[in-house]
Amino acid sequence: MNDFMPLEGWDHVELWVGNAKQAAFFYENALGFTRTAYAGPETGVRDRASYVVEQGDIRLVLTSGLRGNNEVSEFTCRHGDGVKDIGLQVPSAAEAYRQAVQRGARGIAEPQWVEDEHGKVELAAIGTYGEVIHTFVNREEYAGPYLPGYRSVSENGHLSPGVGLKALDHVVGNVELGRMNHWVGFYERVFGMTNIVHFGDDQIQTEYSALMSKVMSDGSGKIKFPINEPAEGKRKSQIEEYLEFNGGPGVQHIAMQSEDIVRTVEAMKERGIAFLDTPETYYEEVQGRVGEINEDYDDLERLRILADRDEDGYLLQIFTKTAQDRPTVFFEVIERHGATTFGEGNFKALFESIEREQALRGNL
Ligand code: FE2
C-alpha cells in the first residue's frame, strides 16, 4: 500500500499563551530551551508576538495577541495557555492538505508558499480535536531560523546548555466522553495511522475515576498521538476536570525524550520545575515488575521517576505538575530503551498522581 500521508517528523508545537514574553523566560530558564527566533511588531507583525525556543530537535513557538479582539487573545481567554498547533514536516504541504481534506479533515489554511531572503516554505493547515490544528510544513528549500517573517535572535542571546531534552516523543489529546473512537478514526483515515495501544476503563481505573486511552502512531513510530476520554467512575474523571477548565478538548501533555533522564530531571528540579509525586509503594514493587535496567533504582526512587516495560524493552517517565493555573497542560520527560509503546503500570501511576492533585484543587 502506498503511504498517502508521509510524515518526515515533528516540525513545531505552537502554544497560544497570555504573555509570550514571560512564557519564553520560563521555557528558557526552567525547561532549558534556547530562544532562536522572534516575530512581532519590530518585524512587521501587527497583531501578535511569537518567540521560538529550541532544545535538541524540539521547537516550540509561544505566541500571544497584542489586543483583546484578536484570535490569539480570544483563544487564551477561553482555554488559558494551551497548544494551538502541532506542526508536522511533510514532503509536500499541498499534497498532504489535499489528501487530508479528501479524507474528511476540516481545512483551516489552504496550501501556500511564503518566502524571504532565506528561501521559501510551503504551509497548509487542517483542524483536529477542539481548536487544535495540524500545520503541514515543507521546509526543504528554507535556511532561515523558523519561518519567513521571523528574525533570528540566537546570535545575540546566551546559548543555554539545556537540560538534555532531545526530541518530541508524543502529544496527547483529551476529548469528550464518547469521542475517543471518533478521533482514533480521524487519525486512521486522514493520517493512515494505526492504534498501537489501547487501555480500557477496566485498566485505567483509579479509586474514584476512570478513563480510556488509545495511542495512534504513524508507520515509522516517530509520531504518536494518544487520545484520552473520560469514563464513568465514582467521582469526576480527571479528563472531565481538564475539559471543564480547558473549555473543551485540547492537548493534555507534551512528552519530550531525554537520553539521560536522571540528569535531565535533576537539572529541571534545580531550575524549579515541580514534578508529580509517586507513592512509596510504587518503588516497593517496580524492580520486580520491570527487572534489570541500566539505571540505578535508587536514583529513580529519589527523583520519583517511573519505570515500565513493553514487549520490546523498557522506558522511564516522569510528569511535571500543570504548567499554568488551569489544570490543563503539563509536560512529560521520557527515556526509551527499546520500548516503543507505553506500559500499563505507568499509565495507572500517572493517573493516580493526577487524581491526588485534582483532590487538592477541590475538583474530585
Ligand atoms: Fe505521555
Side-chain angles (χ1 to χ4, degrees):
M1 201 185 103
N2 75 327
D3 187 358
F4 62 86
M5 184 63 83
L7 302 176
E8 292 172 339
W10 304 96
D11 190 80
H12 62 273
V13 174
E14 179 165 354
L15 295 107
W16 281 6
V17 301
N19 186 343
K21 180 178 269 192
Q22 287 191 6
F25 188 82
F26 169 81
Y27 283 83
E28 288 177 278
N29 290 283
L31 292 176
F33 282 79
T34 297
R35 189 181 307 207
T36 56
Y38 169 79
E42 298 87 347
T43 69
V45 177
R46 303 312 302 170
D47 68 333
R48 64 191 68 189
S50 296
Y51 299 78
V52 181
V53 296
E54 298 185 52
Q55 185 169 182
D57 294 330
I58 308 162
R59 184 193 285 124
L60 303 180
V61 184
L62 307 158
T63 295
S64 54
L66 298 178
R67 292 181 183 81
N69 60 342
N70 166 286
E71 60 169 345
V72 182
S73 306
E74 286 163 4
F75 175 100
T76 58
C77 184
R78 281 191 296 277
H79 306 294
D81 291 5
V83 171
K84 173 60 187 179
D85 182 13
I86 304 164
L88 300 164
Q89 282 179 15
V90 294
S92 164
E95 181 61 9
Y97 182 86
R98 192 182 71 80
Q99 292 284 359
V101 170
Q102 190 178 295
R103 288 174 163 75
R106 187 163 45 94
I108 298 288
E110 298 222 347
Q112 58 159 337
W113 287 92
V114 288
E115 55 183 285
D116 66 7
E117 70 274 21
H118 302 294
K120 59 180 185 172
V121 182
E122 187 190 25
L123 301 169
I126 60 164
T128 178
Y129 47 79
E131 289 195 63
V132 182
I133 66 170
H134 288 298
T135 295
F136 297 120
V137 185
N138 163 17
R139 56 171 69 255
E140 257 145 60
E141 296 170 62
Y142 194 65
Y146 171 49
L147 290 178
Y150 281 77
R151 184 171 77 194
S152 175
V153 294
S154 52
E155 59 264 24
N156 304 323
H158 70 288
L159 275 183
S160 163
V163 296
L165 298 172
K166 298 283 184 197
L168 286 170
D169 189 88
H170 57 277
V171 178
V172 183
N174 281 344
V175 302
E176 305 97 323
L177 180 66
R179 295 290 283 169
M180 177 180 70
N181 283 329
H182 168 85
W183 292 107
V184 163
F186 170 87
Y187 283 104
E188 283 171 348
R189 202 172 59 247
V190 172
F191 286 88
M193 290 185 165
T194 52
N195 176 210
I196 58 164
V197 190
H198 174 206
F199 295 119
D201 53 355
D202 49 333
Q203 290 165 294
I204 311 297
Q205 180 89 42
T206 57
E207 188 180 357
Y208 295 116
S209 72
L211 63 99
M212 298 198 285
S213 186
K214 286 186 177 176
V215 181
M216 304 306 293
S217 173
D218 74 330
S220 72
K222 267 189 312 228
I223 310 289
K224 287 191 265 290
F225 293 133
I227 309 283
N228 300 327
E229 77 167 40
E232 293 297 330
K234 273 192 256 178
R235 295 198 192 162
K236 187 199 282 180
S237 167
Q238 58 193 254
I239 308 302
E240 278 298 336
E241 184 199 30
Y242 173 99
L243 295 168
E244 181 187 332
F245 284 86
N246 190 61
V251 169
Q252 181 208 37
H253 72 268
I254 300 170
M256 300 178 281
Q257 295 169 358
S258 167
E259 287 164 3
D260 184 352
I261 195 170
V262 170
R263 191 190 82 75
T264 297
V265 172
E266 279 173 345
M268 289 169 75
K269 285 195 165 180
E270 272 165 30
R271 289 157 177 255
I273 290 288
F275 291 93
L276 291 179
D277 198 10
T278 298
E280 211 51 55
T281 51
Y282 179 92
Y283 293 96
E284 287 164 13
E285 52 88 53
V286 66
Q287 199 161 347
R289 186 163 57 78
V290 180
E292 198 179 316
I293 59 174
N294 301 339
E295 292 71 18
D296 189 337
Y297 274 106
D298 290 341
D299 284 334
L300 304 191
E301 182 171 349
R302 173 172 58 87
L303 296 166
R304 312 321 259 183
I305 295 168
L306 307 173
D308 213 338
R309 210 171 252 295
D310 70 7
E311 52 273 26
D312 301 311
Y314 72 94
L315 70 158
L316 305 168
Q317 293 170 290
I318 192 167
F319 302 89
T320 70
K321 294 193 178 190
T322 51
Q324 57 292 307
D325 290 306
R326 296 199 202 193
T328 54
V329 183
F330 59 91
F331 299 97
E332 170 183 344
V333 182
I334 182 167
E335 179 174 342
R336 292 184 181 276
H337 287 264
T340 53
T341 62
F342 303 94
E344 186 184 332
N346 280 5
F347 238 81
K348 192 151 190 255
L350 165 65
F351 291 112
E352 284 171 348
S353 299
I354 297 177
E355 193 165 280
R356 287 189 292 276
E357 299 283 312
Q358 187 184 356
L360 291 176
R361 292 189 283 261
N363 293 332
L364 185 63

